[in-house]
Amino acid sequence: MTKPIPRFIGPTVVVLAVLAVAFAGAGGMFVGERVYPLFGVGALFCLCMILVFEIILSGFVTQRAMISLAAGHGALMGACASLFFLPGSGLLVLLGYTSGGAVVGAVSFWWYRVRHSILTDR
């Protein structure tokens, strides 16, 4: 059974996701400049804060919803990595990194659940 999710989590995660993509995109435009690492740190900070909310949500949603959240977070990380590290490489690369990030996020969460079930003997 799921608990009601606090109302502040949704808008906060959306704002952090938009900021992460904005920081990653701006960092891709300033490659080689002195501010380039600052945009990377800004994107990383926003992605870590989204991860904190994902951990908080683990007590409110089902396991099926958690694998979807992990895939979504992985897709966002893949999009940010593509925008930051490979600027101007095209839409196909952006879609590839985004879908690859979603797959990696879902598989890593599934692997965590497998290890957790083995260690707790469920």
Side-chain angles (χ1 to χ4, degrees), residues 33-98:
E33 300 288 327
R34 290 185 65 193
V35 295
Y36 176 71
L38 293 177
F39 286 111
V41 169
L44 183 64
F45 177 76
C46 292
L47 290 171
C48 288
M49 288 299 105
I50 292 173
L51 185 63
V52 167
F53 282 111
E54 189 175 334
I55 293 168
I56 290 170
L57 282 175
S58 68
F60 291 100
V61 297
T62 63
Q63 294 300 318
R64 179 169 280 184
M66 278 305 297
I67 199 164
S68 301
L69 287 172
H73 192 251
L76 183 64
M77 290 177 70
C80 287
S82 174
L83 289 172
F84 189 74
F85 293 115
L86 303 169
S89 56
L91 182 62
L92 191 59
V93 173
L94 176 66
L95 292 176
Y97 268 70
T98 303

